[in-house]
Amino acid sequence: MKLRKVTAASAAVLALSLAATACGSDKKDDDASSSSSGGSGKVKIGIKFDQPGAGLKKPDGSFAGFDVDVARYVAKELGYQPNQIDFVETKSADRESALARGDVKFIVATYSITDARKAKVDFAGPYLLAHQDLLVKADSDISKGTDLNGKKLCSVTGSTSAQNVQKSIAPKANLREYSSYSECLSGLQSGAVDALTTDDDILAGYAAQDQYKGKFKLAGLKLSNENYGIGVKKGDTATVDKINKALEKMVSDGSWQKAVTANFGPANYKNEPAPKIGAIVK
């Protein structure tokens, strides 16, 4: 009887030990799962909130645009559900700082890959090759850069786009700087300006809005090459690799072209083919 009592006691201790070990194992798995999804099960992605066709926060609080579609696709491939995505407004001047601070996991925001930026952040992609272009009225006779001589050319305050045109193509163009592209578009519609310049996908996004459909056209001048990449914190090569694989899949399964057509198609945007990962067009 004494032997059986000892054996029974030992068995009870062993059972308790196993239970405690199992609980500890569950906790470690939970912690690992939490860590892999950013600690809260969500991922924060930087986008623009004010660029129709690219990244736009709509009045109802939803988000739309090509960059938004790309961000959602990439997040899905990284293991996140739509309700686990938090979009964070990331303005151009704050993109590098937002990544360095860890405010966002990655940024999809018409973010051109340049040597100066690559010194501060890492890039996946590119995922779109855009060009600086002109947006003009549908019946405009402006078809080349030199046609802008003597014309009123609009861009936003602080942008170098209009200055580049004046410096290299049309030195007699009259620059008009407004506080937003929306103001430039209103000026173009009213005749206050003759052309608006910035990246062609951004121009197409504005022109594709319901109230402007059929009223404007892209000149198709390809004044520069803008290789859009997805910004990632410097040194986070694992995330860069995962995003690149997601982008390759997005192109191969047709989702990339579908997103281009849906967001820019109404402006007759003639997009470049999807760029190859790591192929920067100078």
Side-chain angles (χ1 to χ4, degrees):
M1 290 296 293
K2 184 176 182 182
L3 180 59
R4 283 198 297 270
K5 286 182 180 179
V6 172
T7 303
S10 298
V13 171
L14 179 61
L16 289 172
S17 176
L18 289 172
T21 301
C23 289
S25 176
D26 288 345
K27 186 177 187 305
K28 288 175 101 177
D29 289 344
D30 289 344
D31 288 345
S33 175
S34 177
S35 176
S36 67
S37 59
S40 64
K42 291 185 176 290
V43 61
K44 293 185 177 181
I45 305 174
I47 62 169
K48 294 289 183 66
F49 277 19
D50 59 353
Q51 286 185 343
L56 181 70
K57 183 175 183 179
K58 298 175 7 179
D60 64 2
S62 62
F63 299 91
F66 179 68
D67 284 349
V68 174
D69 289 344
V70 170
R72 285 176 172 149
Y73 190 99
V74 168
K76 178 192 70 175
E77 292 302 307
L78 266 58
Y80 296 96
Q81 299 299 315
N83 63 357
Q84 291 179 291
I85 299 173
D86 282 343
F87 286 119
V88 178
E89 183 175 22
T90 313
K91 297 183 178 180
S92 296
D94 194 43
R95 287 180 294 206
E96 289 83 18
S97 297
L99 287 170
R101 290 192 303 262
D103 294 346
V104 293
K105 182 69 172 177
F106 57 89
I107 293 176
V108 193
T110 58
Y111 201 1
S112 295
I113 301 172
T114 67
D115 289 340
R117 289 170 178 164
K118 284 167 66 176
K120 300 176 181 178
V121 304
D122 285 337
F123 284 99
Y127 66 92
L128 184 73
L129 175 59
H131 307 282
Q132 185 185 339
D133 201 355
L134 303 176
L135 189 70
V136 296
K137 281 188 173 181
D139 60 356
S140 173
D141 58 359
I142 296 175
S143 61
K144 55 184 183 295
T146 53
D147 291 339
L148 288 170
N149 282 312
K151 303 288 188 179
K152 296 181 286 294
L153 176 64
C154 188
S155 194
V156 298
T157 303
S159 170
T160 59
S161 298
Q163 296 167 8
N164 290 340
V165 170
Q166 189 182 50
K167 180 179 179 180
S168 59
I169 300 172
K172 295 183 180 178
N174 299 312
L175 302 187
R176 298 286 188 273
E177 292 186 325
Y178 292 175
S179 62
S180 70
Y181 289 118
S182 295
E183 287 185 54
C184 280
L185 206 59
S186 296
L188 184 59
Q189 185 177 27
S190 68
V193 297
D194 300 298
L196 162 60
T197 187
T198 188
D199 295 354
D200 54 5
D201 65 307
I202 297 174
L203 295 173
Y206 276 100
Q209 295 177 93
D210 289 340
Q211 66 268 38
Y212 295 129
K213 285 180 181 177
K215 296 182 179 179
F216 305 111
K217 65 181 180 181
L218 290 163
L221 301 187
K222 298 184 179 181
L223 302 174
S224 70
N225 295 320
E226 307 296 335
N227 301 271
Y228 289 172
I230 296 180
V232 177
K233 187 174 182 178
K234 192 71 175 174
D236 189 358
T237 56
T239 297
V240 170
D241 291 342
K242 290 176 183 177
I243 293 175
N244 280 336
K245 289 179 181 177
L247 292 175
E248 288 175 340
K249 183 177 178 181
M250 187 177 187
V251 172
S252 66
D253 70 13
S255 299
W256 183 89
Q257 186 58 55
K258 182 179 179 181
V260 170
T261 301
N263 291 291
F264 304 128
N268 295 318
Y269 177 59
K270 296 178 176 59
N271 64 279
E272 297 279 5
K276 294 184 180 299
I277 299 301
I280 306 299
V281 179
K282 299 293 186 179

